[in-house]
Amino acid sequence: MYSTVLVRYGEISLKGKNRSDFEQRLLTNIDTALAGLPPRKIRKTFGRVFIELKDDLEEVKERLRRVFGVVSFSPVVEAPLDIAAIRERALYVLENTPGYTFKVETKRSNKGFPYKSPEINHLVGGYLLARTGQKVDVHNPDRVVHLEIRNDGAYIYSQIIPGPGGLPVGITGRGVLLLSGGLDSPVAGWLGLKRGLELTGLHFHSFPFTSERSKEKVIELGRILARYASGFRLVVAHFTEVQKAIRQNCPEEFYVTVMRRMMFRIAEKVAHREGALALLTGESLGQVASQTLESIAVINRVVELPVLRPVISWDKTEIMELARQIGTYEISIQPYEDCCTLFVPRHPATKPRLEKVEKAEEKLDVEGLVQECLENLETIEID
């Protein structure tokens, strides 16, 4: 009897004159997330989206759990605006929901309906009590039978399934995510998606110092992110010559600082090509030598685009916990090192000074190395 899924979208409803843009993007993203399933009606009324079901409730539920902007959703039974019909459909919902006690809660946005919310609770609750003999518990019930009385009908449900929340992907622009194979950057990317960004991933690959398997590992991480964004573009920058030049020409203590500055220079160029307005990294303050405030300040000096660091204040435990939740943890811990982990000097500078780092770069053909890297980019579209 469940014919529809009711979707709630929370934060979007607080938007002002541009609210319709957010709502339309959410509708588009839901439609894209359901691609490959039978065609169906998806419609919006004030504060709600309704998705027609085609005997595919479980698959629709699974896909909606990954659509940012969805705060929660419920499979609903629809009824005409008739109290007898509403009671019968409410009985169906109650009998198909496990538990021993219940209560009825009504929201009545249709002020023309002849009964007010407390009256509806009483009429429907009394009917359910008489038909089932189950107990009413208004304080701590096993089940709540929810009724929404709207202008176009009544919607009845008991299950409220959490969505990922946030904003619809694509509504806040595009960013370039510096994506390694570690734990932090995929989590940072997921958080960027949650705030409505479309992402292009940028991975620095240093074959033969890093293996093809390490690149495959990043592609697998891209597949996880693609599930939340209905697609993900991964750009692979072949970084071997840059790292070799740094090792040959720069003081060892600045290897990481100079390498990160080269990465940022390349990332900004890629961002311009992609129409992106920001860079994203998985940096966490104080975690490694390149993530002290002094290092971050020196590295940032080579780009003009804003650099977003969604996990800057998170510790490793928090990052690992979210990585497990979103499905990237088991991939990230695979033992295939990326170019950063292979390039750590014995005593890296944790408080580099800008003038010394710029001096260290003087022997590098910075522009030539960046250009060579840009000419050999590899683009992988991940569904």
Side-chain angles (χ1 to χ4, degrees):
M1 191 176 287
Y2 287 103
S3 58
T4 305
V5 171
L6 178 156
V7 176
R8 305 170 192 84
Y9 48 79
E11 182 178 350
I12 295 174
S13 62
L14 302 177
K15 301 300 178 185
K17 293 181 179 178
N18 58 352
R19 172 175 166 169
S20 61
D21 296 336
F22 285 78
E23 291 174 330
Q24 187 54 51
R25 174 66 73 161
L26 177 62
L27 287 175
T28 300
N29 290 355
I30 289 174
D31 189 48
T32 303
L34 300 180
L37 299 178
R40 71 198 62 226
K41 293 179 182 176
I42 301 175
R43 59 187 172 85
K44 173 183 69 66
T45 64
F46 189 80
R48 297 284 189 269
V49 172
F50 294 93
I51 303 170
E52 183 184 13
L53 289 172
K54 299 284 187 180
D55 295 323
D56 51 6
L57 173 59
E58 293 307 315
E59 183 62 30
V60 170
K61 285 164 61 175
E62 182 61 29
R63 297 192 185 197
L64 285 178
R65 287 190 176 99
R66 301 193 296 265
V67 178
F68 287 117
V70 172
V71 171
S72 65
F73 56 94
S74 297
V76 298
V77 173
E78 297 184 58
L81 293 171
D82 174 78
I83 194 65
I86 291 171
R87 291 193 299 195
E88 284 300 321
R89 306 294 166 82
L91 177 62
Y92 173 84
V93 170
L94 182 66
E95 290 181 332
N96 285 276
T97 308
Y100 300 99
T101 60
F102 75 93
K103 73 172 183 178
V104 176
E105 283 190 359
T106 302
K107 291 182 179 178
R108 188 181 65 120
S109 59
N110 178 357
K111 302 306 180 187
F113 192 67
Y115 304 101
K116 294 182 179 179
S117 294
E119 295 175 289
I120 299 170
N121 292 342
H122 177 72
L123 290 169
V124 176
Y127 180 79
L128 298 179
L129 184 65
R131 291 294 300 270
T132 65
Q134 297 181 9
K135 292 183 178 179
V136 173
D137 184 344
V138 296
H139 299 294
N140 188 29
D142 297 332
R143 296 157 293 175
V144 178
V145 177
H146 297 273
L147 309 177
E148 290 198 16
I149 309 298
R150 306 175 71 88
N151 290 336
D152 59 346
Y155 298 88
I156 306 161
Y157 56 90
S158 63
Q159 190 178 16
I160 299 177
I161 303 165
L167 296 173
V169 170
I171 196 65
T172 56
R174 177 175 287 276
V176 167
L177 169 68
L178 278 68
L179 182 61
S180 72
L183 284 161
D184 305 336
S185 56
V187 170
W190 188 89
L191 291 169
L193 293 171
K194 186 175 182 180
R195 295 313 299 167
L197 282 174
E198 279 183 305
L199 293 180
T200 297
L202 175 61
H203 176 63
F204 293 91
H205 185 53
S206 288
F207 184 81
F209 303 121
T210 56
S211 66
E212 283 299 310
R213 190 64 190 88
S214 71
K215 190 172 82 174
E216 287 297 323
K217 174 181 169 182
V218 173
I219 294 172
E220 288 182 43
L221 291 170
R223 289 195 182 99
I224 298 291
L225 295 176
R227 297 170 64 192
Y228 293 90
S230 299
F232 184 75
R233 182 179 301 146
L234 177 65
V235 175
V236 178
H238 296 279
F239 202 57
T240 308
E241 296 306 315
V242 177
Q243 286 193 295
K244 287 167 64 177
I246 293 171
R247 188 179 289 272
Q248 291 168 4
N249 295 286
C250 299
E252 182 179 346
E253 63 176 321
F254 295 132
Y255 280 176
V256 174
T257 308
V258 174
M259 181 185 71
R260 295 293 291 176
R261 283 163 62 91
M262 293 299 290
M263 287 178 169
F264 272 39
R265 290 181 175 108
I266 294 165
E268 187 171 62
K269 298 286 187 185
V270 171
H272 290 323
R273 292 185 180 187
E274 293 287 312
L277 299 176
L279 307 181
L280 278 81
T281 77
E283 290 163 303
S284 169
L285 188 61
Q287 187 177 109
V288 294
S290 66
Q291 295 173 18
T292 63
L293 280 181
E294 292 84 354
S295 292
I296 288 172
V298 169
I299 293 166
N300 257 42
R301 292 293 291 266
V302 298
V303 294
E304 294 182 353
L305 285 178
V307 181
L308 309 182
R309 298 175 169 91
V311 297
I312 191 68
S313 64
W314 291 33
D315 62 32
K316 206 65 174 181
T317 301
E318 294 169 312
I319 293 171
M320 290 166 61
E321 183 177 342
L322 183 54
R324 288 190 179 94
Q325 292 176 21
I326 65 178
T328 58
Y329 179 83
E330 295 297 333
I331 301 171
S332 291
I333 63 172
Q334 292 175 10
Y336 304 109
E337 295 181 293
D338 59 39
C339 66
C340 295
T341 53
L342 287 175
F343 207 64
V344 178
R346 289 166 294 180
H347 304 290
T350 57
K351 297 182 178 180
R353 293 173 56 183
L354 179 62
E355 62 272 18
K356 289 189 174 181
V357 174
E358 290 178 337
K359 181 72 175 177
E361 290 179 340
E362 284 182 351
K363 292 183 179 179
L364 289 179
D365 177 10
V366 171
E367 290 304 315
L369 289 167
V370 169
Q371 188 59 35
E372 182 181 350
C373 205
L374 292 173
E375 290 172 356
N376 293 288
L377 295 176
E378 178 186 359
T379 301
I380 303 169
E381 299 287 350
I382 302 173
D383 295 326

